[in-house]
Amino acid sequence: MGGQRRRKLRITTTSGVVVSLVAAVLSAQAASPAEAATGLTLSVDVSAARHVISPDIYGLNGADPAFAAEIGMPVARWGGNASTRYNFKNHTYNTGSDWYFENIVAGPDNTVEAFVQTNRNRGTKQIVTVPMSGWVAKDSPAAHPFACGFPATRFPSQDSFDQWDANCGNGKLNGTNLIGAVPTDTSIPADASFDGDMVSHLVRQFGTAARGGVSIYELDNEPVLWSSTHRDVHPDAVTDDELANKSTATAAAIKAADPSAAVLGPSGWGYCEWVASGLDGCAPGADAAAHGGLNLSQWFLKNMKDYSDAHGGRRFLNYFDQHYYPQISGGEDPDANALRLRSTRSLWDPTYVEESWIGPSGVNAPPLQFIRTMKAWVAQYYPGTKVAITEYNWGALDNINGALAQADVLGIFGREGLDLATMWGEPQPTQPGAYSFRMYRNYDGAGSRFGDVSVSATSSDQGQLAVYAAQRSCDNALTVMIVNKTGSDLTSPLSVTGFKGNSTAQRFTYSPANLNAIVRGDDLAVRSGKVDATYPANSITLLVLGRGRR
């Protein structure tokens, strides 16, 4: 935390290994040099694998206002651990385990109303998290001493106390969680009716979703971690039934208050929810066995579908949402950089074996194919539900290596048909990671964007030279994004079929040669559907073949 107090709602997620990536402040270092591959080829078929790319995959949990405007940020999320106990009636939230379980009165710029208004003003869709743990913050002082979950008056011996508020401890002694906290020290009970009141309040102020109000409501934040992040009020592990019952009740309250709004959940924290339940931990147990052997994510989808069927087929879940943080060290040494670039394959690749505790050295999970698995579960348990990842971060955003990974991830999101994504821990506008977003959302500084209809794009080695392609509906231009993940310049022919357009391709490049700008290079000749180009080491290149027709 350093010496500065953090009181904003978007407080860093704490979930063991998850936090190791996002919390680090990283130093810049490019990917390690590699021998240039020979015989690499790229191909694009404009007539194949066509599907619309959702603009919502380019979302952020928050952003610098000027940067948000520059990239036309499509969606923003109001969430994080602090949202679990946010009380819209008194604008007070509890920081949970992120910072000594303290009640904080949100400043005028950090209320849910301010979030909605700010994003409405810039045309950005909003996701608002509603509390579901059973508790929200009570009326509390706006200045020290704060109300807190593990006060020294009850627990005089703890491992750590807030340097600004000596009465507030971290709820641990000798590294072990303390028990016996009194929820009413910080909180008051709140059930699904509270969430309905919250949605009704926002509808009165901003209108329904159909009339420009809040578009999406999220069923709390990482509920399976309540017993860790909010253990002063919810010390018990979350069971399948608790999550199911609270989710259906809350979703019904949301839909009653605004039938046009979408519901998103369960915002799972990590891999263990793909194995069992919160009660079982990270291995199948009695809770999973009592629910047909399904893991929590599968059971959640099935239960929401069953609830829908029992209520005349009305949909109560619109987005199946998970959080994804690659289980890598977060470092920027050559090995960490190489792993970062490989690890994007966990989103889709059926041959990629996890190189973390999830893989052979740990639980020995099969290839994750994260997005494809989410879509497969939706197809099996609740067809028609969209898929979302409302928290993710590959790290090193101040480094060209992180920019390469982020550009690769955005390409994967579009190709794989993800419906919505919001990065947690967004890049600062001058960081390389911000240029990854610009390459897709404003590559020429005049608002020009990567295409909105994905088409087939293949590389003979996606691990070295990744390629993504899409056609723009507004002008039929073909956009091709190429990410050179190696430390050497790579020369590769690109063949394009199914597209008749200009005889030249515009070229835009972001690379270590200039980390402060996307550089417009010389146009490239297009001869008989082929483009020859050299892609600089550790670079992102966008080729634009303009005003074509199929």
Side-chain angles (χ1 to χ4, degrees), residues 41 175 202 220 233 241 262 326 362 376 408 419 429 445 469:
T41 58
L202 294 174
D220 213 293
V233 296
D241 286 341
D408 198 29
D419 293 296

Side-chain angles (χ1 to χ4, degrees), residues 73-229:
M73 185 170 72
V75 59
R77 171 176 174 261
W78 190 85
N81 288 336
S83 64
T84 289
R85 275 191 270 173
Y86 182 82
N87 186 339
F88 77 96
K89 297 179 180 180
N90 60 17
H91 305 302
T92 303
Y93 62 95
N94 187 279
T95 58
S97 61
D98 286 342
W99 192 259
Y100 297 100
F101 301 88
E102 295 175 355
N103 278 10
I104 305 295
V105 179
D109 293 336
N110 293 321
T111 65
V112 66
E113 295 90 347
F115 167 84
V116 175
Q117 188 64 62
T118 296
N119 285 285
R120 273 169 54 92
N121 290 346
R122 61 190 176 203
T124 296
K125 181 185 299 184
Q126 310 104 48
I127 303 170
V128 168
T129 302
V130 298
M132 208 169 64
S133 72
W135 299 92
V136 294
K138 69 179 186 180
D139 291 344
S140 301
H144 298 292
F146 293 141
C148 49
F150 292 96
T153 51
R154 289 191 188 276
F155 305 94
S157 297
Q158 299 185 52
D159 290 344
S160 176
F161 291 91
D162 182 355
Q163 60 181 307
W164 290 283
D165 202 321
N167 189 49
C168 296
N170 70 345
K172 289 180 178 289
L173 182 60
N174 299 322
T176 300
N177 290 343
L178 294 172
I179 59 174
V182 178
T184 53
D185 281 350
T186 61
S187 305
I188 57 175
D191 59 15
S193 64
F194 177 92
D195 298 317
D197 290 344
M198 181 176 177
V199 176
S200 295
H201 164 72
L202 294 174
V203 167
R204 285 192 297 271
Q205 186 160 344
F206 301 106
T208 64
R211 293 183 174 273
V214 175
S215 300
I216 303 171
Y217 291 94
E218 180 176 352
L219 301 176
D220 213 293
N221 176 74
E222 300 180 347
V224 170
L225 293 183
W226 288 338
S227 59
S228 172
T229 54

Side-chain angles (χ1 to χ4, degrees), residues 260-314:
S260 63
V263 172
L264 176 149
S267 302
W269 75 268
Y271 175 72
C272 293
E273 295 181 28
W274 287 34
V275 178
S277 74
L279 180 62
D280 290 336
C282 212
D287 200 19
H291 295 85
L294 301 180
N295 63 44
L296 181 142
S297 300
Q298 294 167 325
W299 169 251
F300 175 83
L301 284 166
K302 180 180 183 302
N303 181 73
M304 295 302 288
K305 173 66 162 60
D306 290 346
Y307 189 80
S308 171
D309 291 345
H311 291 78
R314 184 182 181 190

Side-chain angles (χ1 to χ4, degrees), residues 271 354-365:
Y271 175 72
E354 284 294 311
E355 302 173 70
S356 69
W357 64 274
I358 297 174
S361 62
V363 297
N364 198 24

Side-chain angles (χ1 to χ4, degrees), residues 2-92:
Q4 184 176 1
R5 188 71 140 120
R6 222 166 127 184
R7 300 181 183 174
K8 292 181 67 176
L9 272 177
R10 296 188 317 103
I11 296 174
T12 304
T13 304
T14 41
S15 51
V17 291
V18 173
V19 79
S20 63
L21 171 66
V22 183
V25 177
L26 305 171
S27 60
Q29 177 181 346
S32 57
E35 289 294 327
T38 58
L40 288 177
T41 58
L42 305 173
S43 61
V44 171
D45 185 347
V46 178
S47 63
R50 294 178 64 86
H51 66 264
V52 173
I53 296 175
S54 168
D56 293 341
I57 64 172
Y58 304 110
L60 298 160
N61 273 265
D64 172 87
F67 180 64
E70 180 187 352
I71 65 170
M73 185 170 72
V75 59
R77 171 176 174 261
W78 190 85
N81 288 336
S83 64
T84 289
R85 275 191 270 173
Y86 182 82
N87 186 339
F88 77 96
K89 297 179 180 180
N90 60 17
H91 305 302
T92 303

Side-chain angles (χ1 to χ4, degrees), residues 46 50 443 449-453 455 469-480 499-502 506 543-549:
V46 178
R50 294 178 64 86
Y443 60 81
R449 297 174 178 174
F450 187 69
D452 55 335
V453 178
V455 302
Q471 193 165 20
R472 267 199 311 250
S473 298
C474 64
D475 61 1
N476 281 332
L478 176 64
T479 57
V480 184
F499 182 84
K500 297 178 181 179
N502 292 358
Q506 296 178 341
L543 302 181
V544 182
L545 287 70
R547 294 192 177 279
R549 62 186 188 280

